[in-house]
Amino acid sequence: MRIKVWITSTVIATIGVAAWAHTGATGVVLERMQGMSAMGESIKTLIPMMRGQVPYDADLVRREADAMVGHSGEQMARLFPEGSGGGVSKALPSVWEDSEQFAALAEDLKTAAEGLKLSAGNGLATAQSNDSGSMMGGTTGGMMGGGAASMMGGGMMGSNQVMTGEMFANMPADAAFTMVAQTCSACHQKFRKEDE
C-alpha cells in the first residue's frame, strides 16, 4: 500500500509543476508537454476514485484510460526526435542515449493503459475482496503472487512474462492503475529532469 501512495504522490507532484513548464515551449517539445499534461490530468482525475474517496465510475476509468492510450506507445516515442532536448524540455539526454528502453517504457505505458480500460468493469480490489473474499490472491497487495509492484518489476518492465489482455481483464482496476502509475514513475526517474 505504501508503494501505491508514494507512486501516486510522485505523479501528483509532477502534475503540479507541468502547467508553468510549458512557457516558451514550441513545436514537438510543446506537443509532447501537452500530451504528458493530458496523461497527468487523467491520472489526477482517477486518483481519488482509486483510493475509494469518490464513487467508482467504470465509464470514466475507460475514458481516462483511452486518453492515456492516445498519448503513449509509438505516439509518445515519436515526439522525442534526436536533438529535441534542452531549453524548456524536461527530457534528459538518457532519452536518446537509451532510446530502446525509453520506447519500451512508452509501449509498457500503452499496454498498462489499455489494461486499465479492460479492467474498468472489475471495480476496485477492496470491492472484489468484499464480494468474493479473494480474487487472484485477495487484495492488490497479494494479487497474482505479490501485487502490482511485483507484476511491474518482474512482469511488464523487465521479465519474460508479458501482460496479456486476459490478465488485465481479470484484475481489479486499481491494480491496473498502479501499473500505469509505476510505468510513469519508472520513466520519469530515468528520463525526466527533476523539478527545481
Side-chain angles (χ1 to χ4, degrees):
M1 182 62 109
R2 289 183 185 184
I3 291 173
K4 281 174 64 171
V5 172
W6 176 81
I7 290 169
T8 303
S9 299
T10 302
V11 172
I12 289 173
T14 301
I15 294 167
V17 297
W20 66 263
H22 295 179
T23 305
T26 59
V28 72
V29 174
L30 178 59
E31 190 178 348
R32 70 182 179 225
M33 286 180 158
Q34 290 169 334
M36 296 293 182
S37 290
M39 287 191 293
E41 286 301 317
S42 291
I43 295 281
K44 189 175 174 182
T45 297
L46 294 176
I47 286 171
M49 191 181 307
M50 297 300 156
R51 289 182 173 170
Q53 298 168 335
V54 300
Y56 185 80
D57 181 345
D59 290 332
L60 179 60
V61 172
R62 287 182 193 100
R63 281 193 302 274
E64 297 302 334
D66 269 340
M68 290 185 274
V69 168
H71 292 290
S72 57
E74 175 64 29
Q75 174 67 17
M76 177 191 290
R78 75 168 184 77
L79 296 176
F80 289 85
E82 188 74 39
S84 65
V88 298
S89 174
K90 293 288 185 182
L92 289 171
S94 55
V95 168
W96 300 278
E97 293 164 1
D98 196 355
S99 60
E100 286 184 22
Q101 185 182 12
F102 179 77
L105 282 170
E107 284 301 319
D108 285 349
L109 179 58
K110 183 174 183 176
T111 300
E114 289 170 340
L116 177 58
K117 183 177 179 179
L118 288 171
S119 70
N122 299 334
L124 304 178
T126 54
Q128 289 178 1
S129 64
N130 290 339
D131 290 342
S132 66
S134 173
M135 175 164 184
M136 297 188 305
T139 65
T140 305
M143 187 174 18
M144 295 173 65
S150 69
M151 285 190 291
M152 288 302 294
M156 280 181 61
M157 293 180 10
S159 89
N160 296 332
Q161 182 178 2
V162 176
M163 292 297 295
T164 66
E166 184 178 336
M167 290 171 152
F168 278 111
N170 289 314
M171 73 171 51
D174 51 337
F177 177 80
T178 297
M179 294 174 79
V180 169
Q182 287 176 333
T183 306
C184 291
S185 292
C187 192
H188 287 187
Q189 287 174 7
K190 180 162 185 176
F191 298 112
R192 186 181 186 278
K193 291 179 191 172
E194 294 269 336
D195 293 312
E196 298 161 8

